[in-house]
Amino acid sequence: MRKQLNNDSLSQMKGTKLWVLGLPIKDYTPQITIALKEADKIIAARHLENNLSSWREKFPQKNWIFYERFSQALEEAEKALGQQKKVAFWASGDPLFFGVARTFLTRLNPEEIKVVPALSSLQVAFAESKIPWEDALFVSLHGQNENKINDLKALLRRQKKLLVLTDPQNSPAKIANYLLAAGLGSTKMIVAERLGFPEEKIYTGPPAEFASKDFKNPNLVILLQEKPGEPPVFGLKEDEFLHEKGLITKDEVRAVAIHKLRLPPQGVFWDIGAGSGSVACEVANLAPGLLVYAVEKSPERTRMIEKNRENLGLPNLTVVEGKAPEVLAPLPSPDRIFIGGGGKDLRSILETSWLKLKSGLVVIAVITIESLEIAYQFLKEKEGLKEVVSIQVSRSSNRISGYTYLQALNQVYLLVGEKHES
């Protein structure tokens, strides 16, 4: 294994012939000084303790707390704030990039929070590796379950550069072994270890060099592919999905339904009665900024959705196994809803979904007259009915003596509803 870079090596710095310097837009040192002066409590992760020694020397009289678990830090911060005390919370890099600032902004009043960023670990990693990063995709495995790592294969088929945030469970060695098992042994790996610390090191090599190597935490991984990534396309075909025979939203119906849903670039999308997950997968593929939830009661079909999610590389898709409407309550409120199943529970599914819908569009796909009546009357009662669309699709076939004829598929009704903010 070859050590490529060491940021603090004086001999290497003396050999530099050209310095390319980034001019800081802001110097936040005065704001940091003010924050530490005014703070009643200063909180930081234990692994930052040595890095903060100079600041501790400047403010030795302050109440410094170093935590092992973030839950402990959050409890300390909220306790102090509840007592009308001021808190300074140290975070590494940019606290708004996969960082703790998001948690504080969702739990506390943003008007009472000041974010003071530093260079993020990803910026430093690309700078030390001398790789432009404007076309990179960022993936966090930090604190994620094991299934998340399975997205890497499909993502690397579409993306030239991936930066992967790791944790002790999802380590560089685990990523390297996954790549080898997935037939991606030619991928170039860069492991950035202990960025910003005196012992900072950056290594470059193929996955085989890292498969049995232990790295100090924190670290991150850059994955590079020679071929450029393929952009997402609209029009995934039925044979691209694992599905039970016949139990899939047909291509033509899926296209019309997604058109009627007018997908936003960000927000939350529900696919209820997802079946094979074709609608959820198409939506997640088209709109990476949407958080997509595929709800399906059948364990066999949820496993198919998981496999489709993995094959297509859709980290923004979450599969929810369980019966609607019971499993809908814990989910985040949706901005768009597609309902492709329900049967005798359709009315209760509609009631729960409509209640959870912030405002926005819902498309209900039905094939029976009974379900059509339930959905139609519901949307009329809610004064949310926009339109009803009947889709009759016939496809070419040549089963009769080699001659081509059109074979009709089941007629499908799409009911489009819209809920407005009250």
Side-chain angles (χ1 to χ4, degrees):
M1 186 179 297
R2 175 171 57 88
K3 184 176 80 172
Q4 186 184 43
L5 292 171
N6 186 325
N7 191 45
D8 292 315
S9 171
L10 291 177
S11 61
Q12 185 184 64
M13 292 172 67
K14 289 178 180 178
T16 299
K17 300 291 182 66
L18 171 66
W19 298 92
V20 182
L21 306 178
L23 179 65
I25 297 175
K26 276 189 174 185
D27 178 7
Y28 285 105
T29 303
Q31 294 188 40
I32 294 174
T33 303
I34 292 173
L36 297 181
K37 281 182 177 179
E38 294 189 358
D40 299 295
K41 184 179 291 187
I42 303 171
I43 304 173
R46 178 68 64 186
H47 67 81
L48 296 177
E49 187 171 359
N50 291 337
N51 298 58
L52 295 172
S53 58
S54 61
W55 288 106
R56 294 181 69 189
E57 290 173 3
K58 292 179 181 179
F59 298 94
Q61 76 283 5
K62 292 290 183 175
N63 181 16
W64 289 78
I65 297 175
F66 292 94
Y67 65 89
E68 300 291 345
R69 301 185 309 276
F70 179 67
S71 58
Q72 172 195 352
L74 190 60
E75 182 180 344
E76 289 282 356
E78 291 184 333
K79 179 181 177 182
L81 294 171
Q83 297 171 347
Q84 304 303 311
K85 294 181 179 180
K86 295 183 179 181
V87 175
F89 195 103
W90 281 101
S92 56
D94 185 347
L96 284 170
F97 186 82
F98 293 106
V100 297
R102 178 190 295 272
T103 300
F104 288 123
L105 290 169
T106 56
R107 295 174 69 108
L108 305 171
N109 181 3
E111 296 297 323
E112 298 177 351
I113 297 174
K114 174 69 177 177
V115 180
V116 183
L119 285 174
S120 64
S121 59
L122 71 113
Q123 290 172 286
V124 175
F126 279 113
E128 294 297 336
S129 303
K130 302 173 187 175
I131 298 173
W133 59 280
E134 67 271 5
D135 56 343
L137 178 69
F138 311 107
V139 180
S140 178
L141 299 183
H142 189 80
Q144 302 290 340
N145 60 44
E146 290 189 6
N147 290 334
K148 203 75 173 179
I149 199 172
N150 294 327
D151 294 330
L152 296 181
K153 180 178 179 179
L155 288 172
L156 284 169
R157 287 204 304 263
R158 297 165 47 181
Q159 191 71 29
K160 189 174 182 179
K161 300 174 187 174
L162 286 182
L163 183 137
V164 185
L165 299 180
T166 63
D167 66 11
Q169 286 69 46
N170 295 293
S171 63
K174 185 174 181 178
I175 293 171
N177 280 288
Y178 167 81
L179 294 175
L180 292 172
L184 297 170
S186 62
T187 303
K188 182 179 180 180
M189 281 188 70
I190 298 174
V191 180
E193 178 187 68
R194 302 284 289 172
L195 287 175
F197 292 85
E199 64 272 26
E200 171 187 307
K201 295 177 183 177
I202 298 183
Y203 301 92
T204 300
E209 290 192 17
F210 303 107
S212 58
K213 167 72 174 176
D214 290 328
F215 292 93
K216 297 176 182 177
N217 290 304
N219 56 64
L220 57 81
V221 172
I222 298 173
L223 302 177
L224 302 175
Q225 290 281 70
E226 291 185 4
K227 295 181 180 179
E230 300 175 4
V233 296
F234 176 53
L236 297 174
K237 298 178 181 179
E238 291 163 35
D239 58 11
E240 294 183 70
F241 298 97
L242 288 176
H243 65 279
E244 292 182 35
K245 186 176 181 180
L247 294 178
I248 186 172
T249 303
K250 301 299 188 287
D251 294 344
E252 297 84 356
V253 176
R254 193 176 344 117
V256 175
I258 291 175
H259 175 271
K260 296 297 182 182
L261 284 163
R262 297 176 63 86
L263 301 175
Q266 294 180 322
V268 175
F269 181 95
W270 286 4
D271 178 4
I272 303 173
S276 65
S278 62
V279 171
C281 288
E282 187 94 63
V283 168
N285 185 56
L286 284 172
L290 277 176
L291 298 178
V292 179
Y293 293 85
V295 180
E296 173 55 50
K297 65 182 179 181
S298 165
E300 292 78 12
R301 292 175 199 159
T302 55
R303 285 193 288 270
M304 287 183 182
I305 303 172
E306 285 283 7
K307 193 64 179 177
N308 289 329
R309 183 186 74 84
E310 179 182 326
N311 290 340
L312 293 167
L314 303 171
N316 57 325
L317 172 59
T318 300
V319 183
V320 180
E321 181 181 323
K323 190 178 181 215
E326 290 82 0
V327 297
L328 301 178
L331 301 183
S333 296
D335 300 278
R336 297 289 189 275
I337 302 174
F338 176 78
I339 301 175
K344 60 182 176 57
D345 297 316
L346 180 57
R347 175 76 194 198
S348 58
I349 291 172
L350 289 169
E351 290 281 4
T352 301
S353 300
W354 193 264
L355 187 64
K356 289 277 288 188
L357 182 65
K358 303 174 187 175
S359 64
L361 296 164
V362 55
V363 170
I364 309 159
V366 299
I367 60 174
T368 69
I369 298 300
E370 291 80 4
S371 294
L372 173 62
E373 175 68 15
I374 292 171
Y376 180 82
Q377 290 299 331
F378 177 85
L379 292 176
K380 289 285 287 185
E381 291 171 15
K382 300 298 182 182
E383 299 182 349
L385 182 66
K386 283 178 64 71
E387 62 178 326
V388 180
V389 179
S390 173
I391 302 177
Q392 177 64 68
V393 175
S394 296
R395 292 178 177 174
S396 60
S397 177
N398 58 355
R399 294 180 182 175
I400 301 179
S401 302
Y403 288 93
T404 302
Y405 74 105
L406 294 177
Q407 184 175 27
L409 304 180
N410 287 335
Q411 187 169 3
V412 178
Y413 304 98
L414 293 182
L415 297 94
V416 184
E418 184 170 15
K419 181 179 180 181
H420 299 279
E421 291 186 19
S422 56

